[in-house]
């Protein structure tokens, strides 16, 4: 089973048409559509609305049923970089909530045809790099150094989704719609951007998820691997990634030995650059 969450109906329309999804009778606050075992939910703008939409949908199913859902949030986002062109698609590998400072780390799709990744910051209201009047809030030049993409829903989506669904089933993908000029993308443009990526995304969308297999030995394996990682002095974000890689590996290769890092002959790591390279080489072993 699958469920797609969108903030805007213009984002959802291409998928509604592609899946030939039909409106569900109104049983709650949010608009829902269904096609066989695929669902589409439109939340409206903002992280609170998105979190409520996820919660309302999740409560329609038992816990065991929810474990079998692939759960995605797709939509548009503003970019601080001119190197990211309008219409470019990115999987989000890190979400930061601007107001709370909390950070979240979505699962990665290593074998997706769409390989671009970046991080995203969720704001409570629209932001701009330009001088505009209310209701836009404005980013100071130094703030943009820490922001790749900006949206208003992803942190609410991810925090709520991980409350009800396995984190391994949850992904966030965003398409660049503007460069924070303080203007809004037209509905037609939004639908066009989303429609362009349906062929590539639908392949991954319709694949069976591996996470329903037994992973009872995960905790034991994770404690072993975690200690190795701690001894290497990897960062907290690397540790989050490693945990997801291990779960994926165990569930897709249950009878294979757990990959270990390749260390220098001396056994000592000289600097952070070398550590990053060791970690990069290590994590590729989990996706064989």
């Amino acid at each position: 089973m699958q469920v797609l969450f969108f903030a805007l109906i213009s984002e959802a329309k291409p998928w509604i048409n592609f899946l030939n999804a039909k409106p569900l009778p109104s049983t709650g606050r949010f608009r829902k559509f269904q096609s066989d075992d695929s669902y589409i939910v439109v939340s409206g703008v903002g992280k609170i609305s998105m979190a409520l939409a996820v919660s309302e949908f999740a409560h329609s199913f038992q816990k065991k049923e929810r474990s079998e859902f692939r759960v995605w949030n797709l939509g548009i986002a503003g970019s601080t970089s001119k190197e990211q062109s309008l219409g470019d698609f990115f999987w989000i590998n890190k979400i930061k909530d601007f107001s709370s400072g909390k950070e979240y780390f979505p699962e990665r799709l290593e074998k997706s045809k769409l390989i671009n990744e970046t991080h995203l910051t969720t704001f409570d209201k629209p932001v701009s790099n330009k001088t505009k009047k209310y209701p836009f809030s404005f980013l100071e030049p130094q703030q943009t150094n820490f922001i790749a993409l900006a949206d208003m829903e992803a942190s609410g989506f991810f925090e709520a989704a991980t409350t009800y669904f396995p984190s391994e089933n949850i992904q966030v993908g965003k398409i660049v719609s503007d460069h924070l000029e303080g203007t809004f993308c037209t509905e037609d443009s939004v639908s066009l951007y989303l429609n362009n990526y349906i062929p590539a995304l639908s392949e991954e969308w319709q694949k069976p998820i591996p996470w329903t297999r037994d992973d009872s030995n995960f905790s034991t394996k994770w404690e072993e691997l975690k200690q190795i990682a701690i001894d290497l002095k990897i960062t907290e974000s690397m540790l989050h990634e490693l945990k997801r890689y291990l779960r994926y590996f165990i569930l897709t290769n249950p009878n294979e030995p757990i990959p270990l890092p390749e260390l220098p002959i001396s056994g000592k790591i000289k600097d952070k650059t070398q550590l990053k390279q060791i970690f990069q080489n290590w994590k590729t072993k989990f996706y064989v």
Side-chain angles (χ1 to χ4, degrees):
M1 294 188 286
Q2 301 87 226
V3 56
L4 282 164
F5 288 91
F6 298 96
L8 306 172
I9 190 65
S10 55
E11 295 170 332
K13 276 183 178 178
W15 281 88
I16 293 171
N17 294 335
F18 173 72
L19 295 171
N20 194 28
K22 305 301 181 185
L24 288 174
S26 180
T27 55
R29 173 178 174 179
F30 303 98
R31 298 177 68 179
K32 304 178 188 71
F33 303 81
Q34 182 180 5
S35 174
D36 297 324
D37 59 355
S38 292
Y39 295 85
I40 293 172
V41 180
V42 181
S43 69
V45 175
K47 65 184 183 184
I48 294 176
S49 291
M50 179 61 76
L52 289 172
V54 173
S55 178
E56 181 179 278
F57 179 83
H59 279 101
S60 302
F61 299 88
Q62 298 296 319
K63 184 176 180 179
K64 183 177 180 181
E65 292 178 299
R66 295 199 299 264
S67 70
E68 299 175 0
F69 266 97
R70 185 187 297 278
V71 185
W72 285 8
N73 169 223
L74 300 178
I76 58 172
S79 171
T80 61
S81 174
K82 294 293 184 180
E83 294 181 3
Q84 295 175 337
S85 301
L86 299 183
D88 283 353
F89 180 92
F90 293 89
W91 290 115
I92 304 304
N93 53 31
K94 175 183 173 181
I95 301 166
K96 181 174 182 177
D97 186 280
F98 186 78
S99 61
S100 70
K102 289 183 179 179
E103 295 181 344
Y104 310 91
F105 299 88
E107 175 63 30
R108 303 175 68 187
L109 288 174
E110 292 288 326
K111 296 182 179 180
S112 172
K113 288 184 176 180
L114 301 172
I115 61 174
N116 290 335
E117 296 183 24
T118 193
H119 59 277
L120 175 146
T121 302
T122 296
F123 292 85
D124 292 340
K125 60 181 180 179
V127 293
S128 172
N129 287 330
K130 307 292 184 180
T131 302
K132 291 277 185 180
K133 294 182 179 180
Y134 181 85
F136 294 105
S137 56
F138 307 106
L139 295 174
E140 298 295 333
Q142 65 270 22
Q143 289 179 306
T144 62
N145 296 330
F146 305 100
I147 299 167
L149 297 182
D151 87 331
M152 295 176 61
E153 290 82 31
S155 65
F157 163 78
F158 197 77
E159 185 165 10
T162 51
T163 301
Y164 300 103
F165 302 93
S167 60
E168 298 84 3
N169 297 13
I170 302 166
Q171 282 86 36
V172 178
K174 297 291 178 175
I175 298 172
V176 176
S177 61
D178 60 87
H179 291 103
L180 303 180
E181 300 96 341
T183 57
F184 291 109
C185 195
T186 67
E187 291 187 8
D188 287 344
S189 295
V190 173
S191 293
L192 179 62
Y193 288 148
L194 270 292
N195 193 64
N196 286 341
Y197 289 98
I198 284 180
L201 289 172
S202 61
E203 287 188 32
E204 186 66 39
W205 174 248
Q206 297 178 51
K207 289 179 183 176
I209 55 176
W211 314 113
T212 52
R213 301 180 193 173
D214 176 53
D215 64 342
S216 56
N217 65 339
F218 172 77
S219 296
T220 301
K221 295 295 184 182
W222 170 237
E223 289 304 315
E224 296 173 5
L225 210 63
K226 182 179 180 181
Q227 190 56 54
I228 294 173
I230 290 173
D231 291 342
L232 287 177
K233 295 181 170 58
I234 69 172
T235 66
E236 191 68 25
S237 62
M238 288 178 178
L239 203 61
H240 277 284
E241 287 188 73
L242 186 63
K243 189 173 184 178
R244 295 197 301 272
Y245 299 147
L246 175 63
R247 184 180 292 277
Y248 180 93
F249 185 86
I250 288 175
L251 294 173
T252 54
N253 305 278
N255 300 317
E256 295 296 322
I258 303 301
L260 298 176
E262 294 181 8
L263 301 177
I265 296 177
S266 64
K268 295 182 178 181
I269 299 173
K270 295 185 294 184
D271 51 35
K272 290 183 179 180
T273 300
Q274 187 179 29
L275 175 60
K276 287 181 180 178
Q277 188 58 56
I278 289 171
F279 183 72
Q280 181 67 32
N281 294 339
W282 186 14
K283 69 184 185 181
T284 59
K285 295 181 178 182
F286 289 87
Y287 287 84
V288 295

